[in-house]
Amino acid sequence: KKYAKLLLEPNYGRLIAPVNSQSDYWLKQTYKIYDSDAQILWSASDVGAWSVQFQPDVTQETCQGIWCPAFNGFKKPKL
């Protein structure tokens, strides 16, 4: 919201942003469109048949989901 107020052109500026749906769960997100007053003009958790999801960093121990080492065969290099 603060970036919408700070950076957008008054009256015409728009910002589309993926926003975390929960503060402690970063895989599921909602798309929101903000105006220059940081008002939400539109939001969607699902776009058509697709959920809005962020692809995690597969190199991290906290990785969850089908992209992660248990499913994709990624192995961290040994130093």
Side-chain angles (χ1 to χ4, degrees):
K1 287 183 173 183
K2 85 175 172 184
Y3 291 110
K5 283 185 169 185
L6 181 67
L7 300 173
L8 293 178
E9 177 72 27
N11 301 320
Y12 302 106
R14 301 290 183 263
L15 172 68
I16 184 168
V19 178
N20 291 351
S21 298
Q22 299 173 9
S23 62
D24 61 345
Y25 185 69
W26 53 270
L27 281 177
K28 181 72 174 148
Q29 298 178 325
T30 301
Y31 277 123
K32 294 185 179 185
I33 296 180
Y34 295 97
D35 66 9
S36 59
D37 292 323
Q39 298 298 312
I40 299 170
L41 303 176
W42 176 85
S43 74
S45 297
D46 296 308
V47 180
W50 299 93
S51 290
V52 180
Q53 294 185 337
F54 173 78
Q55 184 172 345
D57 181 352
V58 299
T59 65
Q60 296 301 311
E61 301 289 329
T62 57
C63 185
Q64 301 174 7
I66 61 171
W67 305 280
C68 301
F71 301 101
N72 71 8
F74 177 82
K75 291 186 178 22
K76 229 179 191 178
K78 295 181 181 178
L79 301 175

